[in-house]
Amino acid sequence: MVESVKNLSEKLSERGIRPSYQRIKVLEYLVQNRCHPTVDQIFNHLIKEIPTLSKSTIYNTVNLFIESDLLKPIGIEDNEVRYDIDTSDHGHFKCESCGKIFDFAIDIENLTTEDLKGFRINDKSVYFKGICPECLKNKKDNKKI
Amino acid sequence: MVESVKNLSEKLSERGIRPSYQRIKVLEYLVQNRCHPTVDQIFNHLIKEIPTLSKSTIYNTVNLFIESDLLKPIGIEDNEVRYDIDTSDHGHFKCESCGKIFDFAIDIENLTTEDLKGFRINDKSVYFKGICPECLKNKKDNKKI
DNA sequence: TATATATTTGTAATCATTACAAAAACGATA
DNA sequence: TATCGTTTTTGTAATGATTACAAATATATA
Ligand SMILES: [Mn+2]
Ligand SMILES: [Mn+2]
Ligand SMILES: [Zn+2]
Ligand SMILES: [Zn+2]
């Protein structure tokens, strides 16, 4: 389950990315924390291990990973970008109460329309917003009081 | 086809929004320019008619309209928000070459998934990116040279 | 008209992201 | 291993969209 540093390093090399210490650590974090983190979350976690780390490095790295199709930016938030190491097709649900982002399966491939005949489609995103079951439950509980 | 100022004013009043001169002008612009404009585009157009206009007023107004479900923010861009006066369900395609945003019909209602059982879904967005037919044509033409 | 309330305006603050140059790390080569 | 050129990292400054806020202005009510 846990991917070794060697595997992570190889994964980067395969894509023509030199496996620096910082890059491996960022990739390791992304693989182990599949919560669609922000740059800040990645930075604040890794600074504990790498005291000299710069936030610029996180920005450089995630942008490099995106260039290489190793990472996908999730634009579901208004103010900051989140990142998804799972680049396979799936939808994202954001709970407007707790802020958590959930994956869900959806047939994006077959999501098509007559109106886009003649368009070249490179990327499809599906974003839902609402309230997650846990937050719905908490609301109900509060009402009881 | 052209909605009168009276109609626009009434539309605002219906929603409990006091129809100030600036608000009517912003709504008029949105109704007549269905290009999913940015705050800057709205401002730069209306400043010609209203020399004292402030960009703050545009921000205030679009946010007020969004609160009242009169306007929908489109988060397809990374850096700035666009606004859509057409609040009916439809998808958005952004051409990565010319930047234009196209509407397309899609059955968002029936866009559903087992994974979100127990979630309350308030909003669904479908964003596609790629190259529009005109830009594809221009590319081909350039290759011929 | 006078007064209270709502709206607009201008400016400052915020904050995520990018730009950029200096410092550090790396890699090849002799 | 020492050297030299290249890549990466780092720190700081700049950018730019959006929000905060208070003063000015407009509007409604009495
Ligand atoms: Mn995901
Ligand atoms: Mn639209
Ligand atoms: Zn929640
Ligand atoms: Zn185009």
Side-chain angles (χ1 to χ4, degrees), chain B residues 49-116:
Chain B
E49 285 184 76
I50 317 168
T52 59
L53 187 65
S54 167
K55 203 173 278 186
S56 293
T57 301
I58 310 296
Y59 278 106
N60 289 341
T61 304
V62 294
N63 288 335
L64 182 70
F65 288 0
I66 289 168
E67 279 300 310
S68 310
D69 290 319
L70 207 66
L71 195 63
K72 260 197 85 167
I74 307 292
I76 200 171
E77 308 245 16
D78 26 325
N79 53 336
E80 63 187 337
V81 178
R82 294 182 166 273
Y83 300 92
D84 197 344
I85 194 66
D86 178 359
T87 56
S88 70
D89 275 345
H90 61 281
H92 289 105
F93 177 97
K94 184 192 176 189
C95 175
E96 289 164 319
S97 173
C98 65
K100 215 180 285 179
I101 290 180
F102 300 81
D103 291 324
F104 61 85
I106 193 163
D107 192 1
I108 293 183
E109 267 311 306
N110 290 338
L111 204 60
T112 183
T113 171
E114 278 292 307
D115 293 348
L116 295 181

